[in-house]
Amino acid sequence: MSAAISSTDVECPMRHSSTTFPLPSIQAQTPMSGRSSTISTTVNSLPDELLLDIFRNIIPQQKRMKDLVRLSGVCRRWKSIIEDVSTLWSWIDGEDGLPFVQKSLQLSRDAPLDIKFETKSWEISRDDVDPALFLSEVLTSIARWKSLTLGIPATSSTPVFAVLRTASALNLEKLILIQKYRCWDLEPTDESLIILGEAGGLPRLEHLDISLTPIALAPLQLSGLKSLSLSNIKFVSADDILHVLQHSLELTVLSFNWRDDNDWPTVFEDQKLPASPSIELPMLHELRLMK
């Protein structure tokens, strides 16, 4: 017969909590009824390092916070193992709610952070955390930001970008910005927004992906990019794009996508540009130009 090991099966020393955490991925074929106690002893006797590897493998990184809290409630030993490893708590997702975000910020200590907030549709639902409130919370640890992914409704973007305007994320390596629109919404604003660029730009940024978000590139002081994707951004300066390309010799992926033919010439047909600007991209292996 097949028996799944749950928190009831795992008899952890110094047990102090009645919280249960089923582990359906850990199973055993047992012909005898008393087999589960033997399995419990085996799990209990594993060294901390091996238990930690098991935790990392059964919990997806991008959905980690709530499961880590449940696991740490099984017993004092598990709690100590999980809460002592700061990198386990370094993925911060607004979908999990502010209490979990606050706990992760605390337990991640000095670890680099991957920050994500993305709504499922073009509007904020009742269950969604307010994006500006989420950003204000994680902004206290901005020096540790390694990546930032924002997918937000256009109707909620103004306060979000206001929060980011004067922020300084000098260690950021990856930035993904997406505004979500309904098909009958107005076109994105013609005004170029300045974010993360008023205090030194983004000197360590390697991956930039912007869609439907009119971000000003020049203040970001981009150089050394490895991937660049710009999609449906109105009034992007050709000077800015060429500057990024000329200073990103390690660029491997380059993607431009404009859905409106009227916007395409403003990017690539600026009469003030030299006839043949010098651009060398020796590492480029993927180029996409779409309109």
Side-chain angles (χ1 to χ4, degrees), residues 25-277:
S25 60
I26 303 179
Q27 296 181 337
Q29 297 293 328
T30 171
M32 299 178 292
S33 60
R35 185 68 172 172
S36 62
S37 61
T38 303
I39 296 175
S40 298
T41 303
T42 302
V43 171
N44 228 8
S45 63
L46 293 175
D48 291 356
E49 295 79 6
L50 190 51
L51 268 178
L52 187 58
D53 285 340
I54 293 173
F55 296 155
R56 282 176 170 148
N57 280 297
I58 65 173
I59 304 176
Q61 179 184 11
Q62 297 183 4
K63 295 293 180 185
R64 181 168 282 176
M65 279 190 285
K66 290 183 179 180
D67 286 344
L68 286 174
V69 171
R70 295 188 185 104
L71 273 173
S72 62
V74 171
C75 66
R76 292 180 184 176
R77 182 190 177 203
W78 285 23
K79 179 180 175 68
S80 176
I81 293 172
I82 292 169
E83 294 190 354
D84 279 350
V85 181
S86 59
T87 53
L88 280 177
W89 303 88
S90 61
W91 181 270
I92 313 292
D93 193 335
E95 186 179 354
D96 289 318
L98 285 181
F100 289 102
V101 168
Q102 292 163 349
K103 186 174 182 68
S104 291
L105 288 173
Q106 176 188 1
L107 294 176
S108 60
R109 293 182 282 279
D110 295 327
L113 299 177
D114 294 297
I115 308 292
K116 180 182 178 183
F117 185 96
E118 186 167 6
T119 60
K120 294 183 173 66
S121 69
W122 47 264
E123 64 180 351
I124 300 290
S125 71
R126 287 188 211 171
D127 298 328
D128 289 329
V129 176
D130 179 83
L133 187 60
F134 167 79
L135 275 178
S136 297
E137 190 70 44
V138 298
L139 207 62
T140 58
S141 303
I142 194 171
R144 296 194 284 131
W145 288 11
K146 181 181 179 182
S147 71
L148 173 63
T149 300
L150 288 179
I152 55 176
T155 53
S156 304
S157 63
T158 300
V160 171
F161 293 133
V163 171
L164 289 176
R165 181 177 177 86
T166 58
S168 176
L170 298 179
N171 295 312
L172 197 67
E173 297 177 7
K174 183 177 182 179
L175 176 61
I176 300 175
L177 297 175
I178 303 169
Q179 284 198 89
K180 300 186 177 184
Y181 289 82
R182 297 170 295 183
C183 60
W184 58 86
D185 274 335
L186 295 175
E187 287 295 310
T189 176
D190 294 344
E191 179 186 358
S192 292
L193 302 171
I194 297 177
I195 65 166
L196 301 172
E198 291 195 346
L202 301 174
R204 296 190 179 182
L205 196 71
E206 295 182 351
H207 307 281
L208 178 63
D209 186 341
I210 303 178
S211 179
L212 287 167
T213 311
I215 299 301
L217 295 182
L220 299 180
Q221 304 177 41
L222 300 173
S223 63
L225 285 182
K226 294 183 178 179
S227 68
L228 172 62
S229 177
L230 302 178
S231 179
N232 301 317
I233 306 174
K234 300 191 72 173
F235 302 104
V236 178
S237 164
D239 282 324
D240 291 348
I241 291 180
L242 288 175
H243 177 83
V244 172
L245 297 182
Q246 289 171 328
H247 292 82
S248 298
L249 297 180
E250 296 185 7
L251 199 69
T252 60
V253 177
L254 178 60
S255 175
F256 295 131
N257 180 12
W258 269 260
R259 64 183 178 183
D260 189 340
D261 288 345
N262 293 327
D263 291 337
W264 184 268
T266 66
V267 180
F268 297 108
E269 297 181 8
D270 192 329
Q271 299 301 318
K272 297 179 181 179
L273 293 174
S276 300

Side-chain angles (χ1 to χ4, degrees), residues 12-24:
C12 192
M14 299 183 293
R15 184 184 182 92
H16 75 290
S17 171
S18 61
T19 305
T20 61
F21 187 90
L23 301 178

